[in-house]
Amino acid sequence: MEDDDGDAKALTRAMAQSGFADRVIRAVDGVEALALLRRNDISLDRCIMLVDLNMPRMSGLELVSRIRADDQLRRAIIFIMSTSDDERDLASAYDNQVAGYIMKRRVGSGFENLIALFDSYRHIVETPKLRAANA
């Protein structure tokens, strides 16, 4: 979930170069993201979410909190990405069981290291299905 068009384009470009851009679903804010996640016509198997902390209409932390309160989504693998190095944001993110808090300035403009992290993560780490088979 990324509201910044420049970051979204760079991330999509890096994912395309890694061969899995066709599996990316972008939401521009938390309200749209939550609606997408609750749809039953998209697969959430092996889903890794990258959530921007500062989004319009619903912040990233509020989105994560709502996901954690949803019985079908609460086990989602979520990484927060932000420009904020505020300790309160970091603590709030981990209080909501995020898998990681990623600083945009450390990722760089190309996003290649971030894509490599996610690619390794999905190949090494076992993740639960988010919905029951009949949901």
Side-chain angles (χ1 to χ4, degrees):
M1 295 49 167
E2 174 62 63
D3 63 316
D4 183 274
D5 286 334
D7 285 347
K9 286 178 184 176
L11 185 58
T12 301
R13 188 171 33 255
M15 293 183 114
Q17 291 170 351
S18 297
F20 58 94
D22 60 326
R23 297 179 233 165
V24 175
I25 300 172
R26 179 184 177 205
V28 296
D29 62 49
V31 173
E32 181 183 352
L34 196 56
L36 281 168
L37 292 168
R38 288 182 171 156
R39 287 176 38 188
N40 286 327
D41 63 333
I42 60 172
S43 172
L44 296 177
D45 290 348
R46 313 254 319 139
C47 175
I48 298 174
M49 291 181 230
L50 180 61
V51 176
D52 190 342
L53 188 68
N54 297 310
M55 294 187 295
R57 296 201 301 167
M58 181 190 300
S59 74
L61 288 175
E62 185 179 353
L63 172 62
V64 174
S65 180
R66 289 194 184 189
I67 289 170
R68 295 299 181 230
D70 186 302
D71 286 340
Q72 291 187 343
L73 301 173
R74 69 175 179 226
R75 292 184 185 99
I77 307 303
I78 303 171
F79 288 85
I80 293 283
M81 187 165 69
S82 181
T83 57
S84 173
D85 59 3
D86 187 316
E87 186 63 33
R88 293 171 293 189
D89 290 335
L90 184 70
S92 292
Y94 282 107
D95 285 346
N96 278 292
Q97 296 94 31
V98 297
Y101 190 97
I102 300 163
M103 296 294 299
K104 285 185 180 182
R105 72 174 182 271
R106 292 192 183 144
V107 171
S109 61
F111 290 97
E112 291 87 4
N113 290 336
L114 182 63
I115 302 307
L117 169 72
F118 290 155
D119 194 39
S120 293
Y121 191 94
R122 71 185 181 93
H123 282 97
I124 296 169
V125 176
E126 294 298 319
T127 59
K129 290 187 178 191
L130 296 186
R131 291 193 183 101
N134 60 356

